[in-house]
Amino acid sequence: MDFDIANAELVDRGRLRVEWAETQMPVLRQIRERFGVERPLAGQRIAACLHVTTETANLMSTLVAGGAEVRLCASNPLSTQDDVAAWLVEDLGIGTFAVHGEDRDRYYRHIHAVLDFAPTITIDDGADVISTLHSERQDLIPGIVAGMEETTTGVIRLRAMAADGALKYPLIAVNDANTKRLFDNYYGTGQSTIDGILRATNILLAGRNVVVCGYGQCGRGVATRAHGMGASVIVCEVDPLQALQAALDGYRVMPISDAAAVGHVFVTVTGDCGVIRGEHFDRMQDGAILCNSGHFDVEIDLVALSEMATSKRRVRHETDEYLMPDGRRIYILGEGRLVNLASAEGHPASVMDMSFANQALCSEYVAKNKLSVDVHTVPAEIDAEVARLKLASMGVRIDTLTPEQEKYLSSWQSGT
Ligand code: ADE
């Protein structure tokens, strides 16, 4: 079996951590048990490009239980947990290509390595496999039945490909499922981003001005959790509707050029590039802490910051200090990459349970159904099933409509 990991001897620690995550993933566990009996993925070769975490390991074992052959590479150079990579190779026995801190060349060599076994299904987080397939490995596309995309940024890329007429195989936007977007993006990003900031810096958030750039589901999650810890939250937005929601949620809303001067901690979660730039670094206070929780490391202009700074040194794990000519210090966490995965462990398993249940059930769906070449939403019955299973696992019961209520909802005659 081909693989490229940092150190196979980390397997024991990896096993304990993967087992711990499993205790928090009851929905995926149930799916894995059914897959073990029904083997709906028999004959499928799945190429996955995901953050190599304990939660991903549990998705991988679910796909294997379903009968698939699986290869996995990292979807970010800094998110790989090397002990988990060891477990994937040593215990689960799947070709894993992921090394924490890998450079760009190795990252793309790993993407090609998972493609080399001619997948029938792809699973992406950020669309790097999909875009590599479309640009450099088009010969493999006829063998692919469909793929899934995990994250907002990836779905944006796919929709751009579809609009350009460039898309060549069917994809499901797992990100857009309600049981993904409303939970993983909001609760997952919210908690794990704060976790990343605190593990990197150990600062007290209470009393700090925390600037959140972007008020989508992820930004809202970060703002809520920062507020809950006593921070004074400032939101920067370009979308008038989202800015209005932020204002009515009780946050101060202002352009980043104003926020730059008053912020103590800055978090970018926009999915766009150049959100915090040279003119903003110029206005920041001594000691400002900056990090990103959007998929790519393009939101903070680190090239500009490096050019402006007179020196740079690593002062703590994943914390770099840039010294400005006037003596101010600006701190960058996780090299501007996803702070929740670079400085912490990513979203908690309990929320990834729903995201990855969608991935597993969509893998089964595309193995059984032929889709047109387009970006599809997750079938509503899968979304509802994930919510139902999650509620059941939490012991939460809900009401059902009475026949009279059903009739009322489907009638239009009764009014005032
Ligand atoms: N994305 C965010 N958190 C994650 C996690 N824990 N595992 C895999 N992908 C993630």
Side-chain angles (χ1 to χ4, degrees), residues 189-212 221-234 252 262-267 287-291 333 339:
T189 308
Q191 178 168 314
S192 63
T193 299
I194 301 296
D195 185 16
I197 295 168
L198 298 185
R199 288 200 208 189
T201 62
N202 196 28
I203 59 165
L204 181 72
L205 276 185
R208 304 283 171 118
N209 291 332
V210 173
V211 178
V212 180
V222 175
T224 311
R225 299 302 167 217
H227 173 73
M229 295 191 78
S232 170
V233 174
I234 297 168
R252 283 182 284 165
V262 291
H264 300 119
V265 178
F266 295 80
V267 186
I289 294 169
L290 279 61
C291 64
L333 310 186
V339 70

Side-chain angles (χ1 to χ4, degrees), residues 1-3 41-49 60 63-64 67-73 92-97 108-123 129 132-133 137 139-146 169:
M1 179 182 70
D2 264 1
F3 61 88
L41 303 177
Q44 302 294 341
R45 286 186 303 279
I46 301 183
C49 176
M60 296 301 105
L63 301 176
V64 169
E69 262 184 83
V70 183
R71 276 195 184 188
L72 172 67
C73 65
L92 192 62
I94 68 166
T96 303
F97 301 83
Y108 274 99
R109 271 208 309 282
H110 287 166
I111 289 197
H112 283 285
V114 300
L115 291 176
D116 283 343
F117 92 140
T120 56
I121 294 174
T122 63
I123 302 182
V129 156
T132 305
L133 269 165
R137 304 294 296 267
D139 54 306
L140 298 173
I141 292 179
I144 299 180
V145 294
Y169 71 92

Side-chain angles (χ1 to χ4, degrees), residues 95-163:
T96 303
F97 301 83
V99 175
H100 186 93
E102 64 198 21
D103 64 16
R104 196 174 185 281
D105 279 355
R106 199 173 190 183
Y107 178 83
Y108 274 99
R109 271 208 309 282
H110 287 166
I111 289 197
H112 283 285
V114 300
L115 291 176
D116 283 343
F117 92 140
T120 56
I121 294 174
T122 63
I123 302 182
D124 259 285
D125 187 332
D128 281 343
V129 156
I130 298 165
S131 89
T132 305
L133 269 165
H134 281 74
S135 54
E136 294 172 55
R137 304 294 296 267
Q138 296 195 4
D139 54 306
L140 298 173
I141 292 179
I144 299 180
V145 294
M148 273 73 69
E149 169 53 49
E150 168 80 7
T151 201
T152 317
T153 296
V155 171
I156 291 170
R157 288 177 91 183
L158 298 187
R159 295 234 153 88
M161 287 171 81

Side-chain angles (χ1 to χ4, degrees), residues 51 53 55-56 125 150 184 340-341 345-348 352 356:
H51 300 295
T53 64
E55 294 74 28
T56 297
D125 187 332
E150 168 80 7
D184 171 313
N340 59 340
L341 283 142
E345 294 171 68
H347 299 358
M352 293 312 294
F356 284 166

Side-chain angles (χ1 to χ4, degrees), residues 274 276-282 300-310 322 324-325:
I276 303 186
R277 306 180 293 271
E279 69 256 39
H280 308 130
F281 302 132
D282 259 342
I300 302 170
D301 188 349
L302 288 181
V303 174
L305 184 59
S306 301
E307 282 166 6
M308 292 164 78
T310 54
Y322 289 75
M324 307 304 271

Side-chain angles (χ1 to χ4, degrees), residues 365-377:
Y365 185 82
V366 299
K368 289 183 176 166
N369 297 279
K370 190 168 163 48
L371 300 184
S372 59
V373 176
D374 207 344
V375 182
H376 296 264
T377 51

